[in-house]
Amino acid sequence: WLMAYKKKKYINVDSYDKKNAESTLFDVSQELMINKRLISDFGRLYTKRRRSQVEEEEEGSEVKRIGMFITRNKVKVESFSTGTSTRGRLFGRHRPGLYLIDDVENEITKESWAITTSIINHINALRAGMGPGAKILYLTNYIQEGGVATAIMEHVKTLGPRGVVRN
């Protein structure tokens, strides 16, 4: 919806593992290419770049990830890991208007307070650098008390009616 109506010019997907963020972008790009109702209403917002046979063979048929794409109506969507700084993310003159924070608490992060703290710091830095009108959507599992999900929920409670937690 945000892409189709150009509500946000630059969207970032951040996950603990960048491969998960890239999988999300792959799924979204597939919808943009094959969803008949979306195409009927908005035209082809995204088409895959034509590749040579050599590129196809090198990639193989099992790759289901994409790191970045720009729609035909000039919306950039990009994937990152929580280990990548949020500073300097720009698309033209636009800072990210939407951050999708997905899969940041898992069995790996649960085992390391250092990793958990690093992810919480990443999210805090992201919040501090947000431009006016930017939004964050968190999708995560609540795996441990006192972990990343707890920190997110505690912050959202401070937002009053601007923040909502759904379990």
Side-chain angles (χ1 to χ4, degrees):
W1 185 85
L2 292 171
M3 286 184 274
Y5 285 102
K6 284 181 74 173
K7 296 292 184 182
K8 302 295 180 189
K9 302 265 190 195
Y10 186 27
I11 299 170
N12 285 187
V13 178
D14 286 31
S15 293
Y16 168 68
D17 184 344
K18 186 176 183 201
K19 290 178 185 174
N20 290 350
E22 291 172 339
S23 292
T24 298
L25 264 61
F26 178 83
D27 292 344
V28 170
S29 71
Q30 289 300 109
E31 277 301 304
L32 292 174
M33 289 189 293
I34 65 173
N35 185 311
K36 289 181 171 108
R37 288 188 290 185
L38 189 61
I39 293 167
S40 172
D41 288 346
F42 298 99
R44 294 205 174 270
L45 292 174
Y46 176 75
T47 54
K48 195 171 173 181
R49 175 182 72 86
R50 298 276 184 228
R51 296 176 307 195
S52 71
Q53 185 173 351
V54 172
E55 287 174 312
E56 289 280 347
E57 289 170 3
E58 284 177 3
E59 181 180 286
S61 62
E62 294 302 312
V63 174
K64 304 267 190 248
R65 297 189 312 262
I66 184 169
M68 183 276 297
F69 65 86
I70 300 172
T71 63
R72 287 198 171 161
N73 63 349
K74 305 294 186 237
V75 174
K76 183 176 183 178
V77 185
E78 194 165 14
S79 64
F80 296 93
S81 80
T82 57
T84 304
S85 173
T86 60
R87 294 182 56 81
R89 295 185 187 178
L90 289 170
F91 175 48
R93 60 181 178 85
H94 302 284
R95 294 199 176 279
L98 174 70
Y99 289 94
L100 174 61
I101 308 298
D102 186 23
D103 194 31
V104 290
E105 186 161 280
N106 57 40
E107 292 299 319
I108 296 168
T109 66
K110 174 180 103 166
E111 298 300 323
S112 171
W113 181 244
I115 293 174
T116 297
T117 302
S118 171
I119 295 169
I120 292 169
N121 290 341
H122 173 84
I123 292 170
N124 289 339
L126 178 150
R127 283 190 206 121
M130 289 174 59
K135 306 287 184 210
I136 303 174
L137 176 61
Y138 302 99
L139 303 172
T140 192
N141 295 310
Y142 184 87
I143 293 180
Q144 68 173 342
E145 197 166 315
V148 178
T150 301
I152 291 168
M153 290 188 296
E154 291 300 318
H155 171 74
V156 171
K157 285 179 188 176
T158 70
L159 300 176
R162 297 179 337 181
V164 177
V165 174
R166 301 249 193 263
N167 287 325

